[in-house]
Short mmCIF file of all heavy atoms in Angstrom, two decimals:
data_model
loop_
_atom_site.label_atom_id
_atom_site.label_comp_id
_atom_site.label_asym_id
_atom_site.label_seq_id
_atom_site.Cartn_x
_atom_site.Cartn_y
_atom_site.Cartn_z
N THR C 28 -2.23 8.42 -0.37
CA THR C 28 -1.54 7.53 0.28
C THR C 28 -2.03 7.27 1.68
O THR C 28 -2.13 6.07 2.10
CB THR C 28 -0.03 7.90 0.35
OG1 THR C 28 0.46 8.20 -0.91
CG2 THR C 28 0.83 6.87 1.11
N ILE C 29 -2.43 8.31 2.48
CA ILE C 29 -3.10 8.20 3.89
C ILE C 29 -4.33 7.37 3.67
O ILE C 29 -4.48 6.36 4.46
CB ILE C 29 -3.30 9.49 4.26
CG1 ILE C 29 -2.07 10.28 4.70
CG2 ILE C 29 -4.17 9.37 5.63
CD1 ILE C 29 -2.29 11.67 5.21
N HIS C 30 -5.11 7.54 2.69
CA HIS C 30 -6.28 6.64 2.41
C HIS C 30 -5.92 5.22 2.18
O HIS C 30 -6.59 4.38 2.72
CB HIS C 30 -7.09 7.24 1.29
CG HIS C 30 -8.33 6.43 0.91
ND1 HIS C 30 -9.44 6.33 1.75
CD2 HIS C 30 -8.56 5.64 -0.11
CE1 HIS C 30 -10.32 5.46 1.20
NE2 HIS C 30 -9.80 5.08 0.01
N GLN C 31 -4.82 5.05 1.28
CA GLN C 31 -4.60 3.57 1.01
C GLN C 31 -3.90 2.90 2.18
O GLN C 31 -4.17 1.62 2.30
CB GLN C 31 -3.60 3.55 -0.12
CG GLN C 31 -4.12 4.03 -1.52
CD GLN C 31 -5.14 3.18 -1.95
OE1 GLN C 31 -5.06 1.90 -1.85
NE2 GLN C 31 -6.22 3.69 -2.63
N LEU C 32 -3.22 3.59 3.02
CA LEU C 32 -2.58 2.93 4.21
C LEU C 32 -3.54 2.41 5.19
O LEU C 32 -3.27 1.64 6.13
CB LEU C 32 -1.69 3.94 4.88
CG LEU C 32 -0.33 4.22 4.12
CD1 LEU C 32 0.46 5.28 4.79
CD2 LEU C 32 0.53 2.95 3.94
N GLU C 33 -4.84 2.84 5.12
CA GLU C 33 -5.92 2.43 6.04
C GLU C 33 -6.79 1.25 5.52
O GLU C 33 -7.59 0.82 6.07
CB GLU C 33 -6.83 3.64 6.19
CG GLU C 33 -6.17 4.72 6.94
CD GLU C 33 -7.15 5.95 7.16
OE1 GLU C 33 -8.21 5.99 6.49
OE2 GLU C 33 -6.77 6.94 7.93
N GLU C 34 -6.39 0.84 4.15
CA GLU C 34 -7.08 -0.26 3.61
C GLU C 34 -6.70 -1.61 4.21
O GLU C 34 -5.60 -1.66 4.73
CB GLU C 34 -6.84 -0.22 2.12
CG GLU C 34 -7.47 0.93 1.43
CD GLU C 34 -8.84 0.94 1.42
OE1 GLU C 34 -9.55 -0.15 1.35
OE2 GLU C 34 -9.42 2.11 1.43
N ASP C 35 -7.56 -2.62 4.02
CA ASP C 35 -7.26 -3.79 4.65
C ASP C 35 -6.13 -4.65 3.99
O ASP C 35 -5.35 -5.39 4.83
CB ASP C 35 -8.66 -4.87 4.48
CG ASP C 35 -9.72 -4.29 5.25
OD1 ASP C 35 -9.49 -3.57 6.28
OD2 ASP C 35 -10.78 -4.58 4.95
N TYR C 36 -5.89 -4.44 2.61
CA TYR C 36 -4.69 -5.15 2.10
C TYR C 36 -3.29 -4.77 2.79
O TYR C 36 -2.43 -5.53 2.64
CB TYR C 36 -4.80 -4.88 0.60
CG TYR C 36 -4.29 -3.65 0.11
CD1 TYR C 36 -2.94 -3.46 -0.08
CD2 TYR C 36 -5.12 -2.61 -0.06
CE1 TYR C 36 -2.50 -2.17 -0.64
CE2 TYR C 36 -4.74 -1.32 -0.49
CZ TYR C 36 -3.43 -1.12 -0.81
OH TYR C 36 -2.94 0.12 -1.18
N VAL C 37 -3.25 -3.48 3.14
CA VAL C 37 -1.97 -3.05 3.78
C VAL C 37 -1.83 -3.81 5.21
O VAL C 37 -0.66 -4.18 5.56
CB VAL C 37 -2.01 -1.50 4.03
CG1 VAL C 37 -0.88 -1.02 4.86
CG2 VAL C 37 -2.21 -0.75 2.73
N HIS C 38 -2.75 -3.80 5.91
CA HIS C 38 -2.84 -4.62 7.28
C HIS C 38 -2.53 -6.15 6.99
O HIS C 38 -1.81 -6.71 7.84
CB HIS C 38 -4.08 -4.51 7.89
CG HIS C 38 -4.53 -3.04 8.37
ND1 HIS C 38 -3.68 -2.25 9.23
CD2 HIS C 38 -5.47 -2.21 7.93
CE1 HIS C 38 -4.19 -1.12 9.36
NE2 HIS C 38 -5.30 -1.08 8.50
N ILE C 39 -3.03 -6.71 5.92
CA ILE C 39 -2.70 -7.99 5.70
C ILE C 39 -1.27 -8.25 5.25
O ILE C 39 -0.58 -9.28 5.73
CB ILE C 39 -3.57 -8.50 4.35
CG1 ILE C 39 -5.08 -8.61 4.87
CG2 ILE C 39 -3.20 -9.94 3.96
CD1 ILE C 39 -5.98 -8.96 3.72
N GLN C 40 -0.66 -7.26 4.46
CA GLN C 40 0.79 -7.33 4.19
C GLN C 40 1.60 -7.23 5.38
O GLN C 40 2.71 -7.84 5.54
CB GLN C 40 1.01 -6.22 3.19
CG GLN C 40 0.45 -6.45 1.81
CD GLN C 40 1.02 -7.63 1.13
OE1 GLN C 40 2.19 -8.02 1.19
NE2 GLN C 40 0.09 -8.34 0.40
N TYR C 41 1.14 -6.30 6.40
CA TYR C 41 1.92 -6.15 7.63
C TYR C 41 1.83 -7.61 8.36
O TYR C 41 2.86 -7.99 9.02
CB TYR C 41 1.34 -5.21 8.58
CG TYR C 41 1.87 -3.73 8.18
CD1 TYR C 41 0.95 -2.78 7.79
CD2 TYR C 41 3.23 -3.55 8.17
CE1 TYR C 41 1.42 -1.36 7.58
CE2 TYR C 41 3.70 -2.21 7.93
CZ TYR C 41 2.68 -1.22 7.52
OH TYR C 41 3.17 0.08 7.28
N ALA C 42 0.74 -8.29 8.38
CA ALA C 42 0.49 -9.52 9.06
C ALA C 42 1.43 -10.65 8.42
O ALA C 42 1.87 -11.52 9.22
CB ALA C 42 -0.86 -9.96 9.08
N TYR C 43 1.77 -10.53 7.11
CA TYR C 43 2.62 -11.50 6.48
C TYR C 43 4.09 -11.07 6.74
O TYR C 43 4.97 -11.84 6.22
CB TYR C 43 2.29 -11.58 4.95
CG TYR C 43 1.17 -12.43 4.71
CD1 TYR C 43 -0.09 -11.97 4.16
CD2 TYR C 43 1.24 -13.82 4.83
CE1 TYR C 43 -1.15 -12.67 3.99
CE2 TYR C 43 0.17 -14.73 4.46
CZ TYR C 43 -0.99 -14.10 4.14
OH TYR C 43 -2.07 -14.85 3.92
N GLY C 44 4.29 -9.99 7.39
CA GLY C 44 5.71 -9.67 7.76
C GLY C 44 6.48 -8.79 6.64
O GLY C 44 7.60 -8.64 6.65
N ALA C 45 5.60 -8.18 5.68
CA ALA C 45 6.23 -7.36 4.69
C ALA C 45 6.79 -6.10 5.30
O ALA C 45 6.08 -5.51 6.28
CB ALA C 45 5.18 -7.01 3.66
N SER C 46 7.90 -5.53 4.87
CA SER C 46 8.32 -4.22 5.38
C SER C 46 7.52 -3.09 4.93
O SER C 46 6.73 -3.16 3.84
CB SER C 46 9.90 -4.14 4.86
OG SER C 46 9.94 -3.98 3.46
N LYS C 47 7.76 -1.99 5.47
CA LYS C 47 7.07 -0.73 5.07
C LYS C 47 7.34 -0.24 3.69
O LYS C 47 6.69 0.16 2.98
CB LYS C 47 7.43 0.33 6.15
CG LYS C 47 6.72 0.22 7.54
CD LYS C 47 7.10 1.40 8.43
CE LYS C 47 6.40 1.27 9.74
NZ LYS C 47 6.57 2.41 10.62
N THR C 48 8.72 -0.43 3.39
CA THR C 48 9.14 0.03 2.19
C THR C 48 8.52 -0.80 0.95
O THR C 48 8.03 -0.33 -0.17
CB THR C 48 10.76 -0.14 2.02
OG1 THR C 48 11.32 0.66 3.04
CG2 THR C 48 11.25 0.46 0.64
N THR C 49 8.53 -2.09 1.17
CA THR C 49 7.82 -3.03 0.26
C THR C 49 6.36 -2.71 0.04
O THR C 49 5.92 -2.73 -1.07
CB THR C 49 8.12 -4.53 0.63
OG1 THR C 49 9.51 -4.72 0.79
CG2 THR C 49 7.38 -5.46 -0.36
N ILE C 50 5.71 -2.48 1.16
CA ILE C 50 4.25 -2.15 1.06
C ILE C 50 4.00 -1.02 0.39
O ILE C 50 3.19 -0.78 -0.54
CB ILE C 50 3.66 -2.22 2.52
CG1 ILE C 50 3.73 -3.58 3.07
CG2 ILE C 50 2.16 -1.65 2.54
CD1 ILE C 50 3.27 -3.62 4.52
N LEU C 51 4.98 0.04 0.77
CA LEU C 51 4.83 1.36 0.23
C LEU C 51 4.91 1.41 -1.36
O LEU C 51 4.14 2.08 -2.13
CB LEU C 51 5.67 2.31 0.92
CG LEU C 51 5.32 3.84 0.81
CD1 LEU C 51 4.00 4.29 1.44
CD2 LEU C 51 6.43 4.69 1.48
N PHE C 52 5.98 0.91 -1.88
CA PHE C 52 6.42 1.10 -3.22
C PHE C 52 5.96 -0.11 -4.12
O PHE C 52 5.70 0.11 -5.24
CB PHE C 52 7.92 1.08 -3.38
CG PHE C 52 8.60 2.31 -2.92
CD1 PHE C 52 9.07 2.43 -1.64
CD2 PHE C 52 8.43 3.45 -3.74
CE1 PHE C 52 9.61 3.75 -1.14
CE2 PHE C 52 9.08 4.70 -3.34
CZ PHE C 52 9.61 4.87 -1.99
N ARG C 53 5.62 -1.17 -3.54
CA ARG C 53 4.98 -2.41 -4.27
C ARG C 53 3.48 -2.47 -4.49
O ARG C 53 2.97 -2.89 -5.48
CB ARG C 53 5.52 -3.79 -3.80
CG ARG C 53 5.20 -4.91 -4.68
CD ARG C 53 5.88 -6.20 -4.30
NE ARG C 53 7.28 -6.13 -4.39
CZ ARG C 53 8.26 -7.02 -4.13
NH1 ARG C 53 7.65 -8.23 -3.47
NH2 ARG C 53 9.46 -6.88 -4.38
N HIS C 54 2.85 -2.01 -3.25
CA HIS C 54 1.42 -2.18 -3.35
C HIS C 54 0.67 -0.85 -3.37
O HIS C 54 -0.14 -0.48 -4.15
CB HIS C 54 1.09 -2.91 -2.07
CG HIS C 54 1.62 -4.33 -2.02
ND1 HIS C 54 1.15 -5.29 -2.91
CD2 HIS C 54 2.68 -4.89 -1.34
CE1 HIS C 54 1.87 -6.44 -2.63
NE2 HIS C 54 2.68 -6.11 -1.72
N VAL C 55 1.03 0.09 -2.35
CA VAL C 55 0.38 1.29 -2.14
C VAL C 55 0.54 2.33 -3.41
O VAL C 55 -0.27 2.90 -3.97
CB VAL C 55 0.85 2.10 -0.91
CG1 VAL C 55 0.21 3.42 -0.85
CG2 VAL C 55 0.57 1.17 0.31
N LEU C 56 1.84 2.41 -3.88
CA LEU C 56 2.16 3.27 -4.97
C LEU C 56 1.31 2.85 -6.24
O LEU C 56 0.98 3.78 -6.96
CB LEU C 56 3.66 3.11 -5.29
CG LEU C 56 4.22 3.95 -6.47
CD1 LEU C 56 3.83 5.57 -6.17
CD2 LEU C 56 5.70 3.79 -6.70
N ARG C 57 1.09 1.62 -6.45
CA ARG C 57 0.33 1.18 -7.57
C ARG C 57 -1.11 1.69 -7.63
O ARG C 57 -1.66 2.11 -8.68
CB ARG C 57 0.34 -0.35 -7.62
CG ARG C 57 -0.46 -0.87 -8.94
CD ARG C 57 -0.45 -2.33 -8.97
NE ARG C 57 1.03 -2.84 -9.02
CZ ARG C 57 1.30 -4.26 -9.01
NH1 ARG C 57 0.32 -5.00 -8.83
NH2 ARG C 57 2.68 -4.57 -8.98
N ASN C 58 -1.63 1.82 -6.39
CA ASN C 58 -3.04 2.40 -6.28
C ASN C 58 -3.03 3.91 -6.23
O ASN C 58 -4.01 4.57 -6.54
CB ASN C 58 -3.61 1.92 -5.03
CG ASN C 58 -3.98 0.35 -5.04
OD1 ASN C 58 -4.50 -0.12 -6.04
ND2 ASN C 58 -3.68 -0.43 -4.01
N VAL C 59 -1.84 4.47 -5.88
CA VAL C 59 -1.73 5.99 -5.71
C VAL C 59 -1.53 6.56 -7.15
O VAL C 59 -1.64 7.76 -7.48
CB VAL C 59 -0.58 6.40 -4.94
CG1 VAL C 59 -0.28 7.82 -4.95
CG2 VAL C 59 -0.86 6.05 -3.38
N LEU C 60 -1.10 5.67 -8.16
CA LEU C 60 -0.79 6.03 -9.50
C LEU C 60 -2.01 6.79 -10.16
O LEU C 60 -1.84 7.60 -11.04
CB LEU C 60 -0.22 5.02 -10.32
CG LEU C 60 1.30 4.59 -10.05
CD1 LEU C 60 1.67 3.47 -10.93
CD2 LEU C 60 2.24 5.89 -10.24
N LEU C 61 -3.19 6.28 -9.92
CA LEU C 61 -4.42 6.74 -10.65
C LEU C 61 -4.65 8.21 -10.29
O LEU C 61 -4.80 8.97 -11.40
CB LEU C 61 -5.62 5.93 -10.16
CG LEU C 61 -5.70 4.42 -10.71
CD1 LEU C 61 -6.90 3.81 -10.20
CD2 LEU C 61 -5.64 4.53 -12.25
N PRO C 62 -4.65 8.75 -9.15
CA PRO C 62 -4.72 10.21 -9.01
C PRO C 62 -3.52 10.93 -9.65
O PRO C 62 -3.76 12.15 -10.10
CB PRO C 62 -4.86 10.41 -7.37
CG PRO C 62 -4.35 9.11 -6.84
CD PRO C 62 -4.72 8.06 -7.85
N ILE C 63 -2.38 10.43 -9.59
CA ILE C 63 -1.20 11.06 -10.16
C ILE C 63 -1.49 11.22 -11.70
O ILE C 63 -1.11 12.20 -12.31
CB ILE C 63 0.08 10.19 -9.95
CG1 ILE C 63 0.39 10.15 -8.46
CG2 ILE C 63 1.25 10.76 -10.69
CD1 ILE C 63 1.64 9.28 -8.11
N ILE C 64 -1.93 10.17 -12.40
CA ILE C 64 -2.21 10.27 -13.74
C ILE C 64 -3.27 11.25 -14.04
O ILE C 64 -3.20 12.15 -15.03
CB ILE C 64 -2.69 8.80 -14.33
CG1 ILE C 64 -1.57 7.86 -14.24
CG2 ILE C 64 -3.26 8.89 -15.68
CD1 ILE C 64 -2.03 6.46 -14.57
#
């Protein structure tokens, strides 16, 4: 998750006004699922 939070797509979502919860569970979690699997 720390690695994903440093990616560009997270900063873009912040720029569009997305909330932390939305970014975390809608975008970051999807990419974090791979190591979980």
Side-chain angles (χ1 to χ4, degrees):
T28 303
I29 291 175
H30 173 73
Q31 292 297 323
L32 291 175
E33 297 174 352
E34 295 292 329
D35 292 338
Y36 75 88
V37 174
H38 299 292
I39 293 175
Q40 291 297 323
Y41 277 125
Y43 279 108
S46 64
K47 288 184 177 181
T48 304
T49 301
I50 295 174
L51 198 62
F52 287 96
R53 183 173 295 180
H54 302 284
V55 174
L56 180 59
R57 184 175 300 176
N58 293 315
V59 174
L60 283 177
L61 288 179
I63 295 176
I64 293 173

